[in-house]
Structures are given as structure tokens and as C-alpha cells.
Amino acid sequence: MNLGKKIKNSPKKTSKNISVLFISLVSILIILEALIRLSGYRVRYEQDEKNYLAWQNNAKKQHNSIGYRDYEYSVKKAEKVFRIYVLGDSFTYGEWIRMEETYPKVLEKLLNSKYPSKHFEVINSSFLGLDTAKEFEKLKREGLRLSPDMIILSFCLNDPSTDSGMTQWHEEDKKEKIKILFNNKELLNISDLYWFLKIRIDWLLGKGIFMRAFLKLYDKDSKDWKNFEKSFNGICELSRENKIPLLVVIFPYFHQLDEKYPFHQAHSMVKELCDKNGVKSLDLFYSYKGIPSKSLWVKTTLPTNTHPNTKAHQIAGIKIFKTIIDDSYFRVKSYLKLE
């Protein structure tokens, strides 16, 4: 008789337990939703995005009459001036740092401080999102008419892509099935908790997606690599034809700056191209090796921004300075001997 009562009561008890569990879960979700809203995290995150757009607008106001984020320079080079023309993308442009903190300006200041009887101009022609093909066109269209004595080509890992690697990024992003759970636009608008989870998932998976996407760019048989190689060779050929020394500065991806760094092969492929073209290369990985990656980022809180900060630009500027004054290929030594 007691056994029968237990059996009869069992479904009721199970149903009650499920109800309690459901109510508990809903309560926890409501509490988490409230906590995230009260923290103002989403508001700060979205404000950071607005601040970045404001920074872009302010940076463009610093552009000189030539259209570069730099000091004012005459198109015609003055006598007894050593002029260096720098090609690059957002790394060289100096995303989220002041113009005078960018490595071309660090280099310029070092040269003029070290040799006050001489005058160096380091012209930064870089811009956000430029790839090697666009830099080649810029050199032909604008750079040569400035009569540079030397050219610096800043190379970043997404340069073989025409859209900063976004095509490859989206391809890899689609493979992360868990991200599909956080793509509901209505829930993103309604729930801060759902939005918060999406941001965290994106951040946690982002490094792996980045690595897979960018490694795709270094397939020698791919269209991206072949187009990059053509433009890269074009820059090298243009510098040879005009007898202008060229330094290719290779920036690393600012993650895992140690023996496990995943892009050594990519760096080697670029250095191999430099050797084939008879131009000099400087791999900055070894200047940053062993330094905690986050200490080189312009922003470490979400949304993170792994572009080089002031410290990273300072390191690059110093290393380039030491490289070009010690190597006769760059003709700085010859210039210094001129009366």
C-alpha cells in the first residue's frame, strides 16, 4: 500500500522538482540580466565604438595638404635633406595613438636629434585598410614625385588580402557553429545578457578564427598571394629603377610572441620575396619577442584593439633607426658625410 502511494506521488514530485528548477533558472537569468544592465557594460562598450569613430574623424583633421597624417612638407624636396617615404596601413597610420607617436615620427625625431647638423624628413603616407596593391599605386602616383632618398614598406599579415582579410575571416567565422546561437537580432536588441554572451564567445573564438583566416593568405597557389606578389615585386622594381633603397619592415601579429608564434612561415615567405628582389627586410618579431602581447596593444579591454600602441611604435622606430644608420645600403652614412 505504501509502495503504491510512493509511485503515485513520484510523478507529482518530479513535476514539482522540474518546476522549481525552471523557476530557479529563470530567476538566475533575470538576476544576471539585471546585473549586466546595472553594470553599464553594454553602454561603455558601445561608447568605445563611438569613440573610435570620433578618433578616426579627428585623425583625418590632422592630414596635411598632401593628404597624409603628418606634418606639412613641400612636394619639392629642399636641398641637403634626406627624405624617407613610408608606405603602410593602420599599423603605420597609428590607430588610436597620436600622430607624433607613430614610428615614422619616432624615427624622424631620432635621426634629427642624433644628427642636428643634418635634416631628415620621414613622410608617413599610410592609411587605414591599405593593402600592398594600393600601396604600389600610391608610390607610383604620389611617392616618387616627393623625391625620396629611401622607401620603407610596412608589411602586416593581412596585406596579401584586398579587404584586410575579412573574406577569409568570414569564411572561418561560419565554421564556428556555436556562434549561430548568438545571431538573433531581436534578442541582441532586447537582452543585455544575450548580447554579453555573444561578445564573450566572439572574443574567445576570435584568436583561432584570426589564425586560420590569415594563414590562408599564405597559400602560394592562391589568387590573393599571387596578386600580392605581383604588387610587392612592382614596388621593389620601382625602387630599383629609381635607385632608391627599400626597407621592408615586417610587423608580427601581437599574440604569442614566443617560440610558439604561429606566423613564422608567413614572415619567411615575405623575407624570401625580399631576397629575390635584392631589397632589405627587417623582421620586428625579434624586437618584440618575449614581451607580453597585451602590453603592446592600444586597448586591452573589450572591445580589444591589438594594433601597436605607443610602446610598440617606439620599439619599431628605434629598431629601424639602428638598422638604417648601420647599413651602407640605405645611404644614410653617405649623406652624413656630405658637407
Side-chain angles (χ1 to χ4, degrees), residues 13 38 60 93 97 148 168 217 222 228 244 250 257 275 302 304 313 316 337:
K13 189 174 181 181
L38 288 171
K60 289 174 183 176
Y93 188 82
I97 67 172
Q168 289 78 12
L217 296 172
S222 71
F228 158 72
I244 306 171
I250 304 170
L257 297 168
D275 293 340
L302 289 176
T304 58
H313 274 264
K337 292 176 182 178

Side-chain angles (χ1 to χ4, degrees), residues 270-284:
V270 177
K271 286 189 281 186
E272 186 179 327
L273 273 181
C274 292
D275 293 340
K276 285 182 179 179
N277 280 281
V279 300
K280 298 282 186 172
S281 63
L282 169 62
D283 190 345
L284 287 176

Side-chain angles (χ1 to χ4, degrees), residues 1 22 26 30 80 89 91 115 125 133 154 158 164 177 181 199 244 265 269 291 298 309 312:
M1 187 70 178
F22 177 76
V26 170
I30 291 172
K80 297 183 180 180
D89 60 7
F91 268 44
Y115 309 107
S125 75
S154 168
N158 61 350
S164 299
K177 302 300 182 184
L181 298 174
I199 294 299
I244 306 171
Q265 181 60 29
M269 288 171 69
I291 300 175
V298 291
N309 60 16

Side-chain angles (χ1 to χ4, degrees), residues 42-55:
R42 185 170 187 171
V43 173
R44 292 195 301 274
Y45 187 103
E46 292 173 347
Q47 185 59 50
D48 280 344
E49 298 289 281
K50 292 177 182 178
N51 290 341
Y52 175 67
L53 293 176
W55 175 86

Side-chain angles (χ1 to χ4, degrees), residues 176-184 187 194:
E176 299 291 351
K177 302 300 182 184
I178 190 172
K179 297 187 75 173
I180 297 173
L181 298 174
F182 298 94
N183 284 338
N184 188 299
L187 280 175
Y194 182 81

Side-chain angles (χ1 to χ4, degrees), residues 250-267:
I250 304 170
F251 274 90
Y253 172 45
F254 288 104
H255 270 292
Q256 208 165 345
L257 297 168
D258 54 30
E259 288 75 12
K260 295 181 180 179
Y261 178 70
F263 293 103
H264 281 305
Q265 181 60 29
H267 288 229

Side-chain angles (χ1 to χ4, degrees), residues 27 37 41 46 53 93 167 183 250 308 311 314 318 323:
S27 299
R37 291 195 178 202
Y41 184 84
E46 292 173 347
L53 293 176
Y93 188 82
T167 297
N183 284 338
I250 304 170
K311 175 183 176 181
Q314 186 76 17
I318 292 171
T323 299

Side-chain angles (χ1 to χ4, degrees), residues 25 28-30 32-33 36-37 41-42 45 178-184 187-188 191-206 302:
L25 286 173
I28 290 170
L29 290 174
I30 291 172
L32 289 173
E33 179 76 33
I36 291 173
R37 291 195 178 202
Y41 184 84
R42 185 170 187 171
Y45 187 103
I178 190 172
K179 297 187 75 173
I180 297 173
L181 298 174
F182 298 94
N183 284 338
N184 188 299
L187 280 175
L188 285 171
S191 171
D192 280 18
L193 174 59
Y194 182 81
W195 171 89
F196 177 82
L197 291 173
K198 173 182 170 55
I199 294 299
R200 287 288 169 175
I201 290 294
D202 286 348
W203 182 75
L204 288 170
L205 297 177
L302 289 176

